[in-house]
Amino acid sequence: MSTSAPPSLSTGVELEIGGMTCASCAMRIEKKLNKLDGVTATVNYATEKAKITVPDGYDPALLIAEVEKTGYAAALPAPRGKQKDSADTGAADDADPELRSLRNRLIGAITLTLPVIAMAMIPALQFNYWQWASLALAAPVILWAAWPFHKAAWTNLKHGAATMDTLISMGTSAAFLWSLYALFLGTAGTPGMTHPFEFALAPSDGAANIYLEVGAGVTMFILAGRYFEKRSKKQAGAALRALLELGAKDVSILRDGIESKIPVEDLQVGDEFIVRPGEKIATDGIVVSGSSAVDASMLTGEAVPVEVAEGDAVTGATTNVGGRLVVRASRIGADTQLAQMAKLVEDAQTGKAEVQRLADRISGVFVPIVIVIAFVALGGWLGAGFPVAAAFTAAVAVLVIACPCALGLATPTALLVGTGRGAQMGVLIKGPEVLESTRKIDTVVLDKTGTVTTGKMTLVDVVVEFGTDRAELLRLAGALEDASEHPIAQAIAKGATQEVGVLPTTEGFANIEGKGVQGVVEGHAVLVGRESLLEEWSLQLSSDLATAKAFAEGEGKTVVAVGWDGQARGILVVADSVKPTSADAIAQLKAIGLTPVLLTGDNEVVARRIAAEVGIDEVIAEVLPKDKVDVVTRLQQEGKVVAMIGDGVNDAPALAQADLGIAMGTGADVAIEASDITLVRGDLRSAVDAIRLSRKTLGTIKTNLFWAFAYNVAAIPVAALGMLNPMLAGAAMALSSVFVVGNSLRLRGFKSVASK
């Protein structure tokens, strides 16, 4: 059998794209890349990244060259450890050259443009030769501050394309050139010339009008929009950057008994490293010595530190708040939970929902259509016999108001903020299409073990024979069970330790296979196990103990009998306990209009008890693992839109089959891989947060798209009919983009149900 990889195998490549100024830029690059053989690309304007699937062995340099031929910059992203992005927007201005340049141009534009606008709007300020002063102030704004727009427009023209920069450059250049014509060849340069500022247009002699305030004002407003848009995008991505910054930077490693400090990037699987109190755990691993409490709140949102001891797994980026630990690294680099979380978030942010693809297609044809409308408006006004000035001003207004930026930003900015906020709350949304799934969900199928319950056996009840001390029963039985590896034995030992403290030592310990254990504790010959084990030693349960045992077993719980010194002394009841927050989570799911269904392989009695405890009415029990997917399919065939929440390997097919798969991050990797949403915490309330946040994000996207569409549909005819001053058109255009980004940033205030 050949071991060579089939030629159809593909791999993913990510590029950072520079020079994009609007959604139509992203659309152009995407089209160019998709024309290459075997290449599938998605370019996201908000994240300024291209996500590309190429055949194995494909040279990324070819992709970069294709982007550069289109007139934009491209580069492979720097390794995560070397990225210097700051989540602090104040520091980000100086760290980002593009943002710094925008800020400097904006400051210059504001300083020079405000006097020009004031003179144009207020006749009292129009002194002799004020128009020449306006020219001196406006020229640097239109030529220098607006230079990025002119440069981009020229680059696009060379490639036979038109983008939003084309509109801006045409509009501001036309206003400037017309003003030069009026000043030097017309009558606008006459000393004492005045003209009032008007919101609407009126027919006039074009040779007497200057539009310097339009050119400078539009430049200023659009620069302001670009600057705050870019700053806001950096804010929107702050959650992901903060996530990447959580990890430790260096680690104290033990090799051949010698401790040394190395960068965390040099850590290898199998290395043992030391974590002192207050230090971050460098990577995912297993505790080999020591015990402590670990604060995982920054990663999972869980406020209470988790107790860990030898043999327990720990997660990188969590903080050791107790004693000294020695940990053996089990996963490093891209395989760690932190890196996988960051990858999930990043994948979601760079993807595109179906609504965004529609917006991108519209943006791609929008600019040429607007240019045509501008020329039609110009011709229409001239054909109707109006002065050239009126026709020209209407055409310029159409060009500057028709910015497709709000359209292009509507989805990705909301997606950036929504998925980033989810990451902070321990909710990882795999892709933008997931948001659309959550809107239609009406039924939630919940796996029982590990999802609604803890998935671990717990000592839930102790029933003692008359005359027997409860503490003594727990101490003797707990000591004996502590010597056993059985999960039920360990549950009893843990419960006993929590109630009575340190357990005594056991002598002569023996395991009777399938029945229980025996040994000597504090001079007593102790038996712990099935009732049949005690009967072999002629120890009979009293009628009260037998009744309690039958009742517990009727509820699907496991009962262990305890006896010593020739007498049955009591019973211990063990069960998989319900998570403390599950009942609240079920109530919250119902509150948002969803019907919960409990799905389990356990017997009907156990399932009904758990369901009643948390408030679930519909139960599907005694289902084999392979049949879980059939249950989900049947519900879908009944017309229900199903979300599945699970954590085990056996849940993976059902998670993949469901319309929305939600995996508990405390579960198996394969379940997480098959899901659409991963909950980092084991708290079922996170599922409520995931659905609410997804719906809220989708609602924000729709609000943004409505605003962007409605704005353009309403504004272009108004401008074409000569009812809007071009400078106000530019301000409205810039504000539309700021509105969309600002509306998206409101998602940062989304609150978890656990905090209410």
Side-chain angles (χ1 to χ4, degrees):
M1 184 175 70
S2 172
T3 58
S4 61
S8 59
L9 285 181
S10 61
T11 188
V13 175
E14 189 177 86
L15 294 181
E16 293 179 347
I17 308 296
M20 290 193 298
T21 54
C22 64
S24 49
C25 297
M27 193 70 175
R28 280 188 53 223
I29 299 169
E30 194 171 291
K31 279 184 179 178
K32 283 282 188 181
L33 289 171
N34 283 324
K35 286 180 181 177
L36 298 173
D37 288 341
V39 173
T40 304
T42 299
V43 181
N44 190 299
Y45 168 53
T47 58
E48 297 178 339
K49 289 180 179 177
K51 193 175 178 184
I52 309 165
T53 302
V54 297
D56 270 355
Y58 199 97
D59 187 357
L62 297 176
L63 302 173
I64 293 172
E66 191 66 24
V67 173
E68 289 175 343
K69 279 195 283 185
T70 314
Y72 301 89
L76 292 169
R80 281 205 169 111
K82 297 181 180 179
Q83 290 174 345
K84 300 296 183 184
D85 276 348
S86 169
D88 176 69
T89 53
D93 283 16
D94 293 320
D96 187 327
E98 187 179 349
L99 195 58
R100 186 171 63 247
S101 174
L102 266 177
R103 183 186 62 187
N104 294 339
R105 291 179 191 276
L106 175 59
I107 292 171
I110 291 172
T111 304
L112 298 173
T113 300
L114 290 180
V116 176
I117 294 175
M119 286 187 285
M121 291 179 67
I122 306 170
L125 297 179
Q126 294 173 1
F127 56 88
N128 281 341
Y129 301 109
W130 69 273
Q131 65 272 47
W132 297 101
S134 293
L135 176 62
L137 292 169
V141 177
I142 297 169
L143 298 176
W144 168 74
W147 177 247
F149 309 137
H150 303 316
K151 181 182 177 183
W154 175 246
T155 301
N156 291 325
L157 181 62
K158 287 193 295 184
H159 291 88
T163 68
M164 184 235 172
D165 291 295
T166 309
L167 297 181
I168 298 168
S169 181
M170 285 181 66
T172 55
S173 297
F176 184 61
L177 293 173
W178 183 272
S179 300
L180 291 178
Y181 161 77
L183 283 169
F184 288 99
L185 301 176
T187 58
T190 305
M193 183 278 288
T194 63
H195 64 69
F197 178 84
E198 295 176 344
F199 284 86
L201 299 180
S204 64
D205 179 6
N209 291 297
I210 60 172
Y211 296 101
L212 293 170
E213 79 279 6
V214 172
V218 166
T219 299
M220 180 185 72
F221 285 125
I222 292 175
L223 279 172
R226 287 271 174 93
Y227 174 69
F228 289 112
E229 175 189 311
K230 189 165 182 66
R231 261 178 61 115
S232 297
K233 284 196 292 182
K234 292 184 87 65
Q235 284 183 0
L240 177 58
R241 287 193 297 277
L243 200 60
L244 296 173
E245 288 296 317
L246 283 179
K249 301 298 181 287
D250 49 39
V251 56
S252 297
I253 194 170
L254 276 176
R255 284 179 179 160
D256 300 324
I258 300 172
E259 180 182 339
S260 60
K261 188 156 282 192
I262 63 170
V264 73
E265 293 85 6
D266 296 339
L267 200 61
Q268 301 294 320
V269 171
D271 282 344
E272 293 186 1
F273 58 92
I274 297 170
V275 189
R276 293 179 174 82
E279 292 182 345
K280 287 182 179 179
I281 296 172
T283 193
D284 299 356
I286 305 295
V287 177
V288 294
S289 71
S291 62
S292 181
V294 173
D295 179 4
S297 59
M298 288 296 288
L299 196 62
T300 67
E302 189 64 61
V304 181
V306 179
E307 296 291 334
V308 296
E310 187 175 333
D312 289 337
V314 290
T315 305
T318 55
T319 304
N320 178 16
V321 295
R324 179 181 182 272
L325 295 174
V326 178
V327 179
R328 180 182 297 113
S330 59
R331 293 191 288 192
I332 60 170
D335 295 328
T336 63
Q337 185 177 349
L338 176 66
Q340 289 170 357
M341 285 174 62
K343 185 70 168 65
L344 282 172
V345 176
E346 199 165 35
D347 287 348
Q349 291 180 343
T350 55
K352 289 185 184 179
E354 193 56 39
V355 285
Q356 172 64 8
R357 296 187 184 279
L358 171 64
D360 282 353
R361 286 195 294 271
I362 293 171
S363 294
V365 299
F366 187 77
V367 175
I369 289 174
V370 167
I371 293 173
V372 171
I373 292 173
F375 278 109
V376 169
L378 180 66
W381 277 75
L382 291 174
F386 287 93
V388 176
F392 166 78
T393 308
V396 171
V398 170
L399 292 175
V400 298
I401 202 169
C403 164
C405 267
L407 198 61
L409 287 168
T411 296
T413 51
L415 196 60
L416 273 169
V417 184
T419 53
R421 179 66 186 124
Q424 290 175 326
M425 296 165 55
V427 174
L428 307 180
I429 302 170
K430 277 194 176 177
E433 64 282 349
V434 171
L435 304 178
E436 290 163 359
S437 301
T438 60
R439 176 172 55 91
K440 304 170 187 174
I441 296 300
D442 55 32
T443 303
V444 179
V445 175
L446 301 109
D447 171 57
K448 178 184 76 69
T449 307
T451 302
V452 176
T453 67
T454 61
K456 296 178 181 178
M457 302 301 279
T458 307
L459 181 63
V460 294
D461 197 11
V462 180
V463 182
V464 296
E465 184 62 272
F466 180 76
T468 301
D469 180 62
R470 175 188 171 101
E472 185 180 19
L473 177 83
L474 283 171
R475 192 173 64 254
L476 298 182
L480 191 58
E481 293 284 55
D482 194 35
S484 171
E485 297 292 329
H486 195 281
I488 292 177
Q490 287 300 303
I492 292 171
K494 184 176 181 180
T497 301
Q498 289 173 342
E499 187 166 332
V500 301
V502 179
L503 300 173
T505 56
T506 300
E507 299 173 359
F509 173 84
N511 178 48
I512 297 91
E513 189 172 351
K515 292 188 176 182
V517 293
Q518 65 183 37
V520 178
V521 183
E522 294 183 340
H524 301 285
V526 183
L527 295 170
V528 181
R530 294 180 183 273
E531 184 179 0
S532 59
L533 175 63
L534 272 68
E535 288 174 346
E536 289 180 3
W537 292 78
S538 301
L539 277 62
Q540 300 292 328
L541 297 181
S542 68
S543 58
D544 288 344
L545 288 180
T547 301
K549 176 177 178 289
F551 180 77
E553 289 178 336
E555 289 189 326
K557 298 173 182 177
T558 300
V559 178
V560 176
V562 182
W564 67 81
D565 295 347
Q567 183 181 346
R569 304 286 180 166
I571 59 172
L572 301 170
V573 182
V574 179
D576 179 10
S577 59
V578 171
K579 292 178 181 178
T581 58
S582 290
D584 183 33
I586 299 302
Q588 293 284 353
L589 287 170
K590 290 181 177 179
I592 59 176
L594 304 179
T595 302
V597 178
L598 188 67
L599 178 65
T600 179
D602 269 352
N603 66 63
E604 187 86 15
V605 173
V606 174
R608 291 284 174 192
R609 176 179 64 83
I610 296 294
E613 192 171 338
V614 298
I616 297 177
D617 301 320
E618 189 173 343
V619 176
I620 303 173
E622 300 178 24
V623 177
L624 294 174
K626 64 183 179 65
D627 295 331
K628 285 188 176 183
V629 68
D630 296 332
V631 172
V632 173
T633 303
R634 176 171 58 78
L635 290 170
Q636 290 171 326
Q637 290 171 345
E638 292 172 3
K640 295 174 181 175
V641 184
V642 180
M644 169 76 188
I645 306 176
D647 76 325
V649 172
N650 60 350
D651 296 322
L655 287 167
Q657 172 63 32
D659 299 285
L660 179 71
I662 302 177
M664 310 295 278
T666 50
D669 287 348
V670 67
I672 294 170
E673 187 65 31
S675 68
D676 302 305
I677 295 175
T678 300
L679 311 177
V680 177
R681 291 183 288 166
D683 189 337
L684 193 56
R685 290 178 299 182
S686 293
V688 185
D689 288 337
I691 294 170
R692 287 177 55 247
L693 177 60
S694 296
R695 288 180 172 180
K696 183 78 172 173
T697 304
L698 185 63
T700 301
I701 289 172
K702 290 186 172 181
T703 302
N704 288 349
L705 284 173
F706 171 79
W707 170 256
F709 276 115
Y711 165 80
N712 282 299
V713 168
I716 291 175
V718 170
L721 291 172
M723 298 169 63
L724 190 63
N725 183 284
M727 186 179 66
L728 294 183
M733 182 278 297
L735 288 172
S736 70
S737 290
V738 174
F739 168 83
V740 162
V741 174
N743 188 46
S744 299
L745 285 172
R746 294 192 307 122
L747 287 168
R748 297 202 310 182
F750 180 87
K751 300 291 185 186
S752 167
V753 293
S755 65
K756 293 185 177 180

